[in-house]
Amino acid sequence: MADRYKTGEQAPEAGTYEFDGLVDGRKNDNVTEDEKHIELSNGDTFPPLRSSKEAAYWKKA
């Protein structure tokens, strides 16, 4: 699945999603291993990065 989801959007299905870059276009090397993957339920809102509170893109892992 090549779909990307942005901070603030709702998850289309439950599962694990992985960090896929910052919304401003940067690939942040400062992202910690524990925040590169998130578990969401159907309808959950995609979060910003925990450490920097920056908007991020996520993709289904």
Side-chain angles (χ1 to χ4, degrees):
M1 180 181 281
D3 291 339
R4 293 173 86 193
Y5 306 98
K6 187 166 67 171
T7 296
E9 294 180 344
Q10 292 186 335
E13 60 184 339
T16 302
Y17 292 84
E18 62 186 11
F19 173 75
D20 193 37
L22 294 172
V23 172
D24 68 8
R26 293 179 291 142
K27 289 280 187 184
N28 192 341
D29 293 334
N30 297 328
V31 177
T32 62
E33 283 302 314
D34 69 326
E35 67 183 348
K36 285 184 180 178
H37 294 88
I38 55 174
E39 289 287 330
L40 295 178
S41 297
N42 185 27
D44 282 355
T45 300
F46 285 95
L49 286 177
R50 287 190 302 266
S51 61
S52 64
K53 306 294 188 237
E54 293 182 84
Y57 285 114
W58 303 92
K59 65 181 179 181
K60 186 82 178 190

